[in-house]
Structure formats: C-alpha cells, structure tokens
Amino acid sequence: MLEDIKKAVYEANMSLPEHGLVVFTWGNVSGIDRESNLIVIKPSGVEYSDLSPEKMVVVDFEGNVVEGNLKPSSDTATHIELYKAFNDIKGVVHTHSPWAVSYAQAGMDIPAAGTTHADYFYGDIPVTRAMTADEISNEYEKQTGKVIIETFNERTIDPNHIPGVLVNDHGPFTWGTSPSNAVYNSVVLEKVAEMTYHGLMLNDRSSRMDQELLDKHYLRKHGKDAYYGQ
Amino acid sequence: MLEDIKKAVYEANMSLPEHGLVVFTWGNVSGIDRESNLIVIKPSGVEYSDLSPEKMVVVDFEGNVVEGNLKPSSDTATHIELYKAFNDIKGVVHTHSPWAVSYAQAGMDIPAAGTTHADYFYGDIPVTRAMTADEISNEYEKQTGKVIIETFNERTIDPNHIPGVLVNDHGPFTWGTSPSNAVYNSVVLEKVAEMTYHGLMLNDRSSRMDQELLDKHYLRKHGKDAYYGQ
Amino acid sequence: MLEDIKKAVYEANMSLPEHGLVVFTWGNVSGIDRESNLIVIKPSGVEYSDLSPEKMVVVDFEGNVVEGNLKPSSDTATHIELYKAFNDIKGVVHTHSPWAVSYAQAGMDIPAAGTTHADYFYGDIPVTRAMTADEISNEYEKQTGKVIIETFNERTIDPNHIPGVLVNDHGPFTWGTSPSNAVYNSVVLEKVAEMTYHGLMLNDRSSRMDQELLDKHYLRKHGKDAYYGQ
Amino acid sequence: MLEDIKKAVYEANMSLPEHGLVVFTWGNVSGIDRESNLIVIKPSGVEYSDLSPEKMVVVDFEGNVVEGNLKPSSDTATHIELYKAFNDIKGVVHTHSPWAVSYAQAGMDIPAAGTTHADYFYGDIPVTRAMTADEISNEYEKQTGKVIIETFNERTIDPNHIPGVLVNDHGPFTWGTSPSNAVYNSVVLEKVAEMTYHGLMLNDRSSRMDQELLDKHYLRKHGKDAYYGQ
C-alpha cells in the first residue's frame, strides 16, 4: 500500500545524509496520505545504508502500525501531532543539523535577517518554550508535537508560511507540501542558521531585515502573485 | 546564436556548485556579446543537473527573450543594469554564498584586510544601502541593479577594480572579463569573507591593511605593470 | 590470536579518517579481550592507508608486546590505565578532533546543553586538571590515564554513562562497549562540541539543559527502560 | 637534472589542494639540492591540474632560471631568502590557507595552546611586523623573506623548531626537512590555527599551555631523546 509515498519517503530520508544534515541515524522523514490519514515513516534505528522503500513503516493517527515489520521512528508521535494540527502539510522532517541545533540550544529564534531566509520562511523561525517536567515524563514525543503547535498558535504563526521550528534544547522540525519539500526546507533552515549566526557575530544590532524586503522575497515565490523560479 | 557564449555561461553556472557557492538553484551566471548587446543567462528555477548549453536564454537590454524556450533567471533585470552601467564587464554572477551573505546581512563592507583580498579587489568590497519600500515594490530586480550602481558612483569606486558588491540583507553579485572570470571573483569574495570574519573576531582593531601593501598586491597582478602569475 | 578483535580494532581505526576525526596518524583505537586482559592497539606512526588487521599489536596490562612486529601506539599506556580502572569498557579511542580540542585547550567541560548530547552522554563531558610537571616528566602517558581516572573519581562520574573526557590542553579520549562504539562516541563528542560552541556564542547564559530533559533523552536510549532506536 | 627533487616538489604541490590548503593556484612548494644550492619550484600561474614534474622550474640563489621553460613562482625570491638564511631546511611552502591567514590578518602569533601544536612547533608561531612602504616598493618578495628572517633573529627563534611563520596581513610560510615535510607542517599550522581560534573564543584567558607540557610533546617526537611515532 501507498507505494508512491513509501518511495518518496525513502528517497527523502536518503537525501538527509547527502545534504550533510545527519550523521548516523539522527534524522527521520515521513509523508502522509491525506485521504486515508495514514503516515509513512522511517523505521527506528536502521542505518541509512540499510533502508529501502519496503522498510518504511505505515502508521495511523493513533500510532498503530498498519503495515511493516520494523518499529516506526521513535519520533513518530511528534510527526502525528504535526499532521493532525497542520492540515496542509504532507511531509515532516526531524534532524539534529548542527547550526539549527545551536539556535535551539541557545533558546533563540532564527531572525529573518536576509533574503535567503525570506525566500522560504515568511518571518522568524520560532524556538519553542522549554518543556515542563510533566510534559517530559508523560508521552514526551507527543508533547513535543504539542509544544510546537502551541508555539504556532500563541504567536499566531501560519505553519504554511513558516515551515519549520526549533524545539528548545533539542533541534529542528520542518515540514512541507511533500517529503522532499520538507527536506528542502530543512536544508534552507540549516543554511540560514549558519549565515545568520555569522551575520549576528559581525553586527548584532542588524538582525532583522525590513518588512518590505521580507514581503517581496516571500511573496514573489509563494502565493497567487508568485513569479519567481516558476 | 552566440554558441560560444552559451557554452561559457553554461560551464560557469555548472562550476558554482563545484566551488560550494550554491545549493539547489540559488545562483546564476550570465555573459554578454558586446557587439550585439545580447545577454546569455541561466533559465529560471532549473536544477543544475538539468542544465545544458542549449537551455541558456538570450535576452536583450530590455529583457525581451530573443532566443530560448525557458524563462530567464528572475534576476535578469539586475544583470542587465550592471551590463548597461559597467561597460567593460562581460560576465555577471549572483549567489547566496554563506560567508558573503553574512556580511550582507550585517550591512558591512568586507574590509581589505589582507593580500588575498588585494590580489583581486583593489579596496573594500562595498555593501549597498538598504533599498526603499518604493524600490522594493516597483521593478525590484531592476532597482537592485540601480542601487549597486549608485553605490559605486557615490563612493567613486571603479567596478573594474572592485569586481563585486554585497546587496544589503541579500547577497553578493560579482562580475568580470568573462563568465568564468566572474565566477573566479565570486570564489575569491567568499574566501576573503571567511578569512576576514575570523581575523576580525581575533582582533577587531586590525581590520584594514596598509595602502602600500594593497597597491603592491593589486598592481603586481593587474594593469600595465603587472608581473605576477603571467 | 584475537583475530576478531584485531579486525574490529583495524576497522575502527580506519573509520577515524572517514568520520573526519583525524588527519595524518593523529588517532588510535584499541580493543580488549576481557578474559585474557590482552589489548589490541594500532601500531605507532603507521599511515592509515598502510594498516591491516595483521599489523595490530597485542599488549598485556604491563605494556609488554605479546604479539606483533611493530611498536604499539605511544598512547598505549593511557589506554591500559583506562581498561584497568573502567571495568566495563571494551574499546578506547584517542583523537585530536578539532572541536573537542578547542574545549580541551580552553580548559572547559562541554556542558550538557541539548538532546544530541543527552542521547549519549549523561551529563557534562569533563576536562581534566592540568597535569603537574612531575606527572609530565615521569611516565607521562600512564599519568595521562591516571588524571582521567582521578577526574571521574573526584567528580563521582560513572564512565559507563559519560564515555569520554577532555585531557587538558591536549584532546579527547572516548570509550565504549566495543572499539566501534568508542568511535561512535568520539563522533558524538566532536559533533556536540561543535553545536554547543555555537550555542554558547549565541547565548552564553543558556548553557545547560534541564535535568528532566537530560534524564529523558539518556534513559530512553540506555538502561533497563530504554525504548528508543531498539 | 634533479629529477628526484622535481618529482618530490611536484607531488608536494599536488598535495596542497588535496589537503584543502589552496584554491586555484594560491600556493607553491619548492625544494632544494643543498650540494648545488639549486632550487626547484612550481611555475607561476599554472593550474594544479596542468602541472607535471617536468614543468617544475630550477633556479639558483640569484633567481636565475637554470632549467625550465616556464616562469618560476612569483614568490621565488622569498623562498630563496629562506633557504639562504635557514641552512637546514630543504623544502618551503607558501599558501593562503584560511585559518592561518585569519591570524596573519589579525597580526597575532598563534599561541602554543595545546599538544597538537606542541607535537610539531616548539612555541608560538610568530607573525612578522608589517612591512614598510620602502620594503613593499623595492624587491617586495625578497623583502618578505628578509622580514621573516628578522622575526626569527630578533625573537631568537630556531627555525628548525618553529618551522613556520605568518607574514603580516598576508599568510603562512612553512618549511621542513623536505618538500613533503614542509607541506605536513602547513597542514599542522592550519589545523592548529583552527583549534586555537575556537579555544580562544571559548576562553581567552587560557591561551598558552604549560612549558613542561610543551617540552614533553615536542621533545618526545623531536631530537635525540625522541621516542614517539618512530
């Protein structure tokens, strides 16, 4: 079942080490079939070199394995929460990519500081609050998803326009219109974190770009008036 | 038409990812035939792996497509302005290379701090002022070219001797005597940005080299008395 | 003798340059047979490209060569001390990996600042005190082992839960349940040192993660209640 | 003539890009035959991919070309000065490797901050004073050699024990017992510059290692009592 999505999820997972976003097994990508609300995700703890489309695991919104012999990624419950709350997304990625993690550990948003950022993220990339002891103790992975959603709700951020987040003292999750688009956003987030780190070190009074420039770059690539790179 | 320039522009575009200057499609190179004032430029939004010399697009100084089935790079209007104002240049490159972008986001010139810089850029590499809301709203890509030209005019910088610029909160443009020479200057600018960043972090009171050393290194490689690397 | 361990030690040594942890011959891995207390270690000063399983050297707890025609690594005495004091470990690695060395030279622990760290190290990765002139003059390599052990004893750190250390102004040693597991921990230590460096530069008031999050991440992967990545 | 040295110099030059020390043609290696005092050096401005042993140029101590059809490296006069003043060296390397250049641009010695440094450099790696306008105008490349030698003389540094230097606002020169040994020292200098930069950023009060540790590491590898890595 869902062979196309399995292939897409497999290929998206394989692209993580190619983009330098993960070492060992430190990353996972999923995709969803929005008709059946079934999620296809990387199995847990399997080396990238041992993956194949057939090894992808299919789970439902309760986390039950619907197909597959391997255990789904331990982060599956986080992916599920994101798919349930963010209705338009069709792919989710989690990595420990180093520049993004640096911001997560610093507890800092990545400010929208330049057009590379603005081409794909329509504003600052938020960091979540620290999770409470209770959230960490009970259904931690599910609560990780919930604290992401809370962040977007409380700050009234549209996840379709800011397709990524930093979980405090942990690392980035990104999403998108497909598994490969979610990976693309992970690459952008990592590259933007790197650029903006060095820009802040050079001049910490110049962190945020003008709103007009942010609007221009985001909107020329996204939405009904887009004309860039089409 | 312009088969030699198409080949040169194609090869120069392909060299951008090899030099680590771009990820995805985040860069473009053009060349010009100064007799006809026709510009050859990378098509918009095409993956580097799908490029070929035949896919390069030919446009005139008004931006009309003279040959080619694909849309020219969205940054074409910026390239055109540069070719119109800087009469001697025959190649233009735009990238979002990370060290150069860091300076652009910081709103800082790259100071001429050492001989690597002086071998190719005869002084600080300037950053433009921020663009106005009006410039951003109306013919943004053309205005990007105009603000670059304004920077060189107001600071009386010779674009033949400082073959590159940082567009504020955006990234670098470089140019040169050919498409490949413009790429060469992009590599130099990126490497110099990296070196000078770390030098400034070590000692921020020692940012600019002596004028005599700058003269020596630039002039032994460029101009009528050049003797280096010939 | 000990052909399996020789092969494992050989392969672990060969993986050091693949992971970018060493240049030239700046690293060594050993393994131990806990029944005979014989240690298999890389020969001294041999290029990685010239290594083979047969060239690994077997030594006893007194450092006597039991098998092999080459001289054992000059750091053998340090490895021996670690195997004698830390009863559960079966592999030891020493490198001069650059991010870890930076902390060693700064004389700083790597604080447990995020979940990447917590997944493998259950607390700060300690730096040893500087060695005394006397320790440096007399059996330096053996004393290097002893100062590591002192650090773990005085700070009551369990080496099974913090499988690595920074020797002051020198570099990292890691260990593990096998030679390859010790290499894995070297990769983690280096990556965590990089992430945490940049996090500290962004926000030096936010260096240490909450204890609950540290517990959660370490314990979901290690110990009797582990459920992650199994 | 000098076929062995040509081959060694050729191979040493080719190893510069492999070690990531140079881009384009930004580096050169030479070797010397101490019997005839003839120097073999890379030709000027030739791409690494176009080099061959036969293209190496032979010059005497006056800089006259004794053999070869190409122009010798523009830095030849600096190499000659070093061979004339430092009697034991048999290879010289010049690069613009980025970490070393950062220190040169900052006008800072690389302090002996850890054992990686101490294994190959017996003390701080000095930076020269800035050159005078007169030195820059008259026989600049020769004067570059002279200011290096002045630095070693005035600070009574033995070039056999500190086989490298940073030329102010320029970059590193290293030397050694052969062309390949000089390249080795360039790699060490670059790696040490990187490590020590990050160590200084973490803790700028902890820049220099104890003298006893410096002695131990340098002397266990060099000199009559060496026992390490033999």
Side-chain angles (χ1 to χ4, degrees), chain A residues 9-79:
Chain A
V9 169
Y10 164 74
E11 288 173 355
N13 273 291
M14 295 304 286
S15 73
L16 294 180
E18 288 163 20
H19 286 299
L21 296 174
V22 302
V23 293
F24 300 127
T25 60
W26 301 355
N28 43 71
V29 185
S30 68
I32 191 169
D33 175 48
R34 282 291 181 186
E35 302 214 351
S36 62
N37 277 339
L38 292 177
I39 294 165
V40 178
I41 194 163
K42 174 166 165 282
S44 178
V46 178
E47 302 263 351
Y48 286 95
S49 55
D50 293 335
L51 289 182
S52 66
E54 299 73 36
K55 287 185 181 161
M56 300 297 114
V57 185
V58 182
V59 298
D60 64 21
F61 266 9
E62 282 70 47
N64 302 308
V65 174
V66 175
E67 191 185 65
N69 300 315
L70 295 161
K71 204 180 138 187
S73 166
S74 305
D75 296 312
T76 299
T78 314
H79 290 240

Side-chain angles (χ1 to χ4, degrees), chain B residues 128-156:
Chain B
T128 69
R129 64 168 169 79
M131 292 171 72
T132 65
D134 195 53
E135 288 168 335
I136 292 167
S137 302
N138 298 300
E139 300 189 294
Y140 169 65
E141 291 82 7
K142 180 176 179 175
Q143 297 299 337
T144 301
K146 291 208 173 291
V147 79
I148 293 170
I149 295 156
E150 174 195 310
T151 302
F152 278 65
N153 286 343
E154 299 219 338
R155 294 170 62 170
T156 60

Side-chain angles (χ1 to χ4, degrees), chain B residues 115-116 195 203 217 220 227, chain D residues 71 96 106 140-141 169-170:
Chain B
T115 63
T116 317
M195 291 169 170
N203 182 359
H217 270 262
R220 74 176 181 172
Y227 63 89
Chain D
K71 203 180 139 188
H96 287 205
Y140 169 65
E141 291 82 6
D169 284 350
H170 187 158

Side-chain angles (χ1 to χ4, degrees), chain B residues 3-188:
Chain B
E3 304 306 321
D4 286 356
I5 297 178
K6 280 182 191 165
K7 183 160 179 289
V9 170
Y10 164 73
E11 288 174 356
N13 274 291
M14 295 304 286
S15 73
L16 293 181
E18 289 163 20
H19 285 299
L21 295 175
V22 303
V23 294
F24 300 127
T25 60
W26 301 356
N28 44 70
V29 185
S30 68
I32 192 169
D33 174 48
R34 283 290 181 187
E35 303 214 350
S36 62
N37 277 339
L38 292 177
I39 295 166
V40 178
I41 193 163
K42 177 167 164 280
S44 177
V46 178
E47 302 264 349
Y48 286 95
S49 55
D50 293 335
L51 290 181
S52 66
E54 299 73 37
K55 288 185 180 160
M56 299 299 114
V57 185
V58 182
V59 299
D60 64 20
F61 266 8
E62 284 69 48
N64 302 308
V65 173
V66 175
E67 191 185 64
N69 300 315
L70 295 161
K71 203 179 139 187
S73 167
S74 304
D75 296 312
T76 299
T78 314
H79 290 241
I80 291 172
E81 291 307 304
L82 296 178
Y83 284 120
K84 284 163 67 178
F86 300 161
N87 295 314
D88 299 323
I89 68 175
K90 292 192 178 171
V92 171
V93 175
H94 175 48
T95 77
H96 286 205
S97 63
W99 288 103
V101 166
S102 299
Y103 276 83
Q105 293 189 175
M108 273 180 66
D109 294 355
I110 304 177
T115 63
T116 317
H117 186 119
D119 282 339
Y120 301 97
F121 290 86
Y122 195 21
D124 299 353
I125 300 169
V127 66
T128 69
R129 64 168 169 79
M131 292 171 72
T132 65
D134 195 53
E135 288 168 335
I136 292 167
S137 302
N138 298 300
E139 300 189 294
Y140 169 65
E141 291 82 7
K142 180 176 179 175
Q143 297 299 337
T144 301
K146 291 208 173 291
V147 79
I148 293 170
I149 295 156
E150 174 195 310
T151 302
F152 278 65
N153 286 343
E154 299 219 338
R155 294 170 62 170
T156 60
I157 302 172
D158 183 338
N160 295 324
H161 296 309
I162 308 275
V165 70
L166 305 169
V167 177
N168 204 295
D169 283 352
H170 187 159
F173 281 81
T174 62
W175 45 83
T177 55
S178 67
S180 70
N181 178 251
V183 172
Y184 194 106
N185 289 332
S186 273
V187 175
V188 174

